[in-house]
Amino acid sequence: MTHRRTSHRRLLAAATGLAALLAGSLAVTQANAAPAAPAAPDVLSSAEAGELAGSLTDRLGDEAAGAFYDADTKALVVNVLDETAADTVRDAGARARVVEHSSATLAEVRAQVEEFAVPGTAWSVDPVGNTVRVTVDSTVTGAALESVRDSVEALDGLATLEQRPGAFAPFIAGGDAIHSSGARCSLGFNVTVGDQPGFLTAGHCGSTGSTWSESAGGDPIGTMAESVFPEGDYALVEYSADVDHPSAVNLYDGGTQEITGAAEATVGQQVQRSGSTTGLHGGEVTAVDVSVSYPQGTVHGTIETSVCAEPGDSGGALFSGSSAVGITSGGSGDCTSGGTTFFYPVTDALDAVGATLP
């Protein structure tokens, strides 16, 4: 059999033609292909979502308009104002949502709400609704309720109004029980100030200079060195006795949860509260940076939750895993019927008193 030898020129021409054909086919395929779908957001725990929310908010600045944790999909949702910012959010592993109202606009609305709020009112930015949510308790009735309602309606859809049962009040009755002059509160978190040990509790529990013990009428273990309420709701007690002060929270089942640091709260985050009246209870963060008007005055910057609490739980620890999140302030309801509880952020309290965890 005779084999015909193909010339180099003919091979080159054939190869060139094949390359052109493949290139043309690829161009047609690319032209007909659908655009690539955006990557799915990362699956995150609520604590991981909180960390990511903080970093993205810092990174985006004015382009961020709030964030929340979607517990159903286990994803962080970040509100932004344009698609450029949305791409940044997606690249970081979160879900982006382009919204109408900026953080600056909603901050202006919050300031307007403060002008007409009455005792029994709480207000905060709602990242899910991209509005300011105004909440009134059952003590706001008659002309006062009508005035608040009219004022909210005058904000043209930038705010919403909700009514809650019970009365917003600090949980005064006096983690682990602490006692002072007939009052009982709860220890929040053990801290260090300089080289000295101390602990955080609620500011409404007592005044600067008050002494605290582990039992009613017992020997003092510490003195309140700083107390702020209202405006804030935190206090620092410096230990004066040689007692154990672990960086841990009582779980009221014989165990403890080690606390290794502090974290900011995120809407949708799952949290737990430990207090000397009702022990351990869990729930969800429903709002952050909340202003709540108690009869004694307004406290700003609180964390609103669905966690229940009762008198004596004040000052107790709100935490998520090993992270300290808040100090029990007040709210409405109880642990039989449920309720709303507000917490002062641990990060703010630590900064204010110059303390560290553990």
Side-chain angles (χ1 to χ4, degrees):
M1 181 179 293
T2 303
H3 296 274
R4 182 184 299 177
R5 196 172 81 184
T6 304
S7 70
H8 176 72
R9 181 177 297 175
R10 291 172 69 184
L11 282 171
L12 181 61
T16 302
L18 179 60
L21 179 62
L22 289 172
S25 300
L26 181 60
V28 171
T29 301
Q30 290 177 333
N32 292 332
D42 292 345
V43 174
L44 303 170
S45 68
S46 60
E48 291 170 334
E51 292 180 6
L52 180 58
S55 64
L56 274 173
T57 299
D58 290 343
R59 183 176 174 186
L60 292 169
D62 293 340
E63 291 300 312
F68 60 94
Y69 181 63
D70 185 336
D72 291 335
T73 61
K74 298 188 183 304
L76 174 68
V77 182
V78 180
N79 294 335
V80 293
L81 302 180
D82 57 43
E83 283 298 329
T84 300
D87 288 340
T88 300
V89 171
R90 296 185 191 107
D91 289 344
R95 190 163 81 228
R97 190 176 69 151
V98 178
V99 296
E100 180 180 359
H101 306 307
S102 69
S103 292
T105 296
L106 297 180
E108 292 176 2
V109 174
R110 283 195 56 174
Q112 293 179 58
V113 173
E114 185 162 6
E115 293 178 0
F116 63 75
V118 298
T121 308
W123 61 101
S124 65
V125 172
D126 173 17
V128 178
N130 191 224
T131 60
V132 171
R133 184 179 64 196
V134 181
T135 306
V136 292
D137 68 17
S138 61
T139 68
V140 182
T141 60
L145 176 59
E146 194 65 30
S147 176
V148 171
R149 182 180 289 116
D150 290 345
S151 298
V152 169
E153 290 177 355
L155 292 171
D156 295 327
L158 285 167
T160 61
L161 179 64
E162 295 182 8
Q163 292 178 273
R164 297 272 175 86
F168 297 151
F171 287 127
I172 304 174
D176 290 338
I178 51 174
H179 299 259
S180 176
S181 301
R184 175 171 62 84
C185 278
S186 298
L187 188 152
F189 300 96
N190 282 312
V191 298
T192 301
V193 182
D195 294 327
Q196 300 301 312
F199 64 81
L200 297 176
T201 188
H204 71 259
C205 286
S207 58
T208 301
S210 58
T211 57
W212 292 82
S213 61
E214 294 179 281
S215 60
D219 293 334
I221 61 169
T223 300
M224 193 166 280
E226 187 171 349
S227 177
V228 174
F229 178 80
E231 293 296 325
D233 196 0
Y234 62 90
L236 170 69
V237 175
E238 295 179 342
Y239 282 110
S240 57
D242 185 13
V243 295
D244 289 338
H245 44 271
S247 184
V249 173
N250 189 347
L251 299 180
Y252 285 90
D253 62 358
T256 60
Q257 169 63 59
E258 182 184 10
I259 299 298
T260 59
E264 301 281 351
T266 302
V267 173
Q269 181 179 12
Q270 296 298 305
V271 287
Q272 293 178 293
R273 176 201 53 75
S274 177
S276 61
T277 299
T278 59
L280 184 71
H281 286 273
E284 181 179 301
V285 174
T286 53
V288 296
D289 197 15
V290 183
S291 297
V292 55
S293 182
Y294 298 129
Q296 299 87 344
T298 300
V299 177
H300 297 287
T302 70
I303 303 161
E304 180 185 310
T305 74
S306 62
V307 186
C308 70
E310 297 181 11
D313 287 326
S314 281
L318 182 74
F319 60 101
S320 179
S322 61
S323 296
V325 176
I327 301 165
T328 307
S329 174
S332 62
D334 54 42
C335 289
T336 300
S337 59
T340 298
T341 304
F342 302 98
F343 298 82
Y344 195 76
V346 165
T347 50
D348 290 356
L350 290 171
D351 288 344
V353 301
T356 57
L357 286 169

